[in-house]
Amino acid sequence: MGVEDAPTRVDGGAGELAVMWGGFPLVGAGAGWLLTAVAGPVAGLPWVPAQGWFELLAGLPEPRATAGALALGALAGLVVAGIGTRERLRVEVDADRVRLRSDGRDREIPRRAVRVVFADRRDLVLLGDGEEELARERGDVSAGRLAAAFRAHGWPWADADPHRDAYRRWVDGLPGLPAGADALLRARQRAVDRGRRGDADDLRRELARLGVVVRDEEKRQYWRLTRRAAPG
């Protein structure tokens, strides 16, 4: 089978944008309407927290209260849609390079630097010659579409992580890690537990400089070493 010349773009498509920009504002408006509908009854329940807010909402005149709640809910949905659009993964691949856009950032990785490409659940992963991660990008893009795009341009796509069996679950103080990696994994575990994705991604990059590759399952961290990892 020949290799395609024109770049192939893979993302969530128009359907994903329609859900975000149409669905999220509708959900937000519905939540605003529901809040005004239940404000009166809930304001009379002393065990419900934030009583002052419910009493304030219940005391507002209609129909302005409902109209305002609908507008604020829809606005909140638009904000969420904007964040989702910025964060969504877009992939453009050809025979020479792949361009990844996510969270407002563009990255370009040349084909010659990549040894294998695969999907790890929702993540697109590219590994280099030293078994290090060149990229790990999260998105809601079909693994089948990604596989077809990379294979069409002659990239080495794998159906699963070729190093899956090399990962070990991180336990504080477990031997085998390079110097300094344990402290970074402790900090990263706190970030993962608290849902601070940006901090967790930053610490993943710090660990990569030490030759440590990290993957998450639920809120558990698993690690493996690359060929270039310094001894502990």
Side-chain angles (χ1 to χ4, degrees):
M1 183 172 59
V3 175
E4 293 187 8
D5 294 326
T8 301
R9 180 171 173 174
V10 185
D11 57 27
E16 182 181 61
L17 291 174
V19 168
M20 287 192 290
W21 290 100
F24 289 170
L26 285 175
V27 170
W33 173 84
L34 182 63
L35 189 61
T36 57
V38 303
V42 170
L45 301 175
W47 50 269
V48 175
Q51 276 292 303
W53 289 105
F54 284 105
E55 290 171 358
L56 176 63
L57 186 57
L60 293 175
E62 290 290 357
R64 283 181 291 175
T66 298
L70 289 170
L72 286 174
L75 180 61
L78 288 172
V79 170
V80 173
I83 294 172
T85 300
R86 175 183 171 84
E87 292 183 347
R88 76 184 190 127
L89 175 62
R90 282 172 284 178
V91 180
E92 187 178 275
V93 58
D94 60 29
D96 299 318
R97 60 101 179 103
V98 60
R99 179 175 295 154
L100 307 170
R101 181 170 180 82
S102 178
D103 199 18
R105 297 180 296 110
D106 277 312
R107 296 187 60 192
E108 190 169 297
I109 301 173
R111 166 67 184 86
R112 63 180 180 275
V114 178
R115 186 176 65 86
V116 67
V117 190
F118 61 92
D120 181 13
R121 293 168 298 176
R122 293 177 58 199
D123 295 346
L124 173 66
V125 184
L126 286 79
L127 299 184
D129 288 334
E131 301 174 354
E132 77 280 13
E133 284 187 355
L134 301 175
R136 177 180 282 268
E137 298 289 349
R138 174 155 297 185
D140 292 319
V141 182
S142 160
R145 292 178 61 205
L146 288 169
F150 279 96
R151 285 172 173 158
H153 294 284
W155 289 62
W157 179 272
D159 291 327
D161 184 347
H163 303 290
R164 179 69 183 241
D165 293 338
Y167 283 91
R168 302 166 64 186
R169 182 172 177 179
W170 175 71
V171 177
D172 196 355
L174 190 73
L177 284 162
D182 218 33
L184 291 172
L185 283 163
R186 280 196 297 272
R188 190 174 185 277
Q189 186 65 61
R190 289 193 293 270
V192 169
D193 289 340
R194 296 169 186 172
R196 299 202 306 259
R197 181 180 166 188
D199 289 344
D201 288 344
D202 288 342
L203 289 163
R204 181 197 297 279
R205 287 187 282 272
E206 290 295 322
L207 286 158
R209 294 189 181 98
L210 299 179
V212 180
V213 179
V214 186
R215 68 187 302 274
D216 300 320
E217 290 187 12
E218 302 298 333
K219 292 190 175 183
R220 299 184 298 271
Q221 297 184 104
Y222 292 80
W223 63 272
R224 67 170 175 84
L225 300 181
T226 69
R227 295 177 188 169
R228 298 166 185 163

